[in-house]
Amino acid sequence: MATLTELTTKNHKSFKISPRAHIKYAAKQHVINLNAIEIAHGATCFPIFITRNTQNGAWAVSAMTSFEIEQNLFVEKGIWQSIFQPSNLRTYPLYLMKVANGEKAYTIGFDAASDALNEIEGIPLFDDNGKATQHLSEITKMLENQITDMQQTYEFGKTLEQLGLLRAIDLHVIYQDGTVNVIKGLHTINEDVLNSLEADKLEKLHKLGYLSPIYAMLISLFQLNSLLTKNNLIDGKPKVSNVKMEVAKDDTLI
């Protein structure tokens, strides 16, 4: 994540969110992070995997939107095509950021290097009196809810790891011209371990509310077929003939 600047009325009263900024951003995201609470809904549209967050080492939940970097098969002609839209797209281009030596643990920030905010056109963040507009208030509320959601996601990944429920896999994308793109760093649920869990551990997962997202993640893998179909419907894109999941040769939790 880029370095964030705190959003304030004093310095950014005239800021507006550029038209369709979140769609332009989404169009270049081949994976989109989800919170654990979003897995069940996300599984209706995307294949969902667990990945290691390179910034803090925690596990992250990711929805795959394309087999190729900086492409998103769910954005067509500037329109989001999925019935489900992850929360971090709905709050873009604003983020939670920690406050140094402040009374609050978090505040709202933005990437100053991004062109998603401007002072000319778009959705205003503050009114003429410097108060937050309804749009900013709604985003702020969603971001505040994400504090709890992110903690739940962290605990979800941690529990999966502790119970040995994560399996490292390589995704082999086989194109019709014979080339193969191997996507690494993905993890899914280890069904063998899940099916052999002791009753007390299954009960723990049930009480934590984790069984639903676990099974949703497994079901979401069938969305790889939908992703293949979406890819092959686009003129000019290399056609995919098959997608295979294989247990990573080094089956460790990287």
Side-chain angles (χ1 to χ4, degrees), residues 118-178:
N118 71 91
E119 297 182 351
I120 301 174
E121 63 173 343
I123 304 173
L125 297 179
F126 300 98
D127 62 21
D128 294 338
N129 297 318
K131 294 184 178 180
T133 60
Q134 181 177 349
H135 187 71
L136 176 57
S137 296
E138 290 174 352
I139 291 179
T140 299
K141 185 175 181 179
M142 283 190 284
L143 288 172
E144 289 173 345
N145 290 337
Q146 283 185 13
I147 297 175
T148 299
D149 294 342
M150 288 189 298
Q151 181 61 32
Q152 291 175 340
T153 304
Y154 172 81
E155 296 295 340
F156 175 68
K158 182 179 177 181
T159 300
L160 294 183
E161 181 177 13
Q162 289 174 340
L163 293 178
L165 286 170
L166 294 177
R167 168 172 283 173
I169 60 123
D170 293 336
L171 194 66
H172 294 249
V173 183
I174 305 166
Y175 291 89
Q176 291 180 3
D177 63 4

Side-chain angles (χ1 to χ4, degrees), residues 44-83:
T44 64
C45 306
F46 317 103
I48 298 174
F49 298 96
I50 298 283
T51 57
R52 181 77 82 175
N53 187 309
T54 56
Q55 295 180 334
N56 58 24
W59 294 103
V61 180
S62 300
M64 180 174 288
T65 67
S66 176
F67 300 122
E68 299 173 36
I69 293 175
E70 294 192 350
Q71 295 188 22
N72 185 335
L73 298 174
F74 292 86
V75 177
E76 298 178 21
K77 298 180 180 179
I79 298 174
W80 179 257
Q81 297 292 337
S82 172
I83 59 174

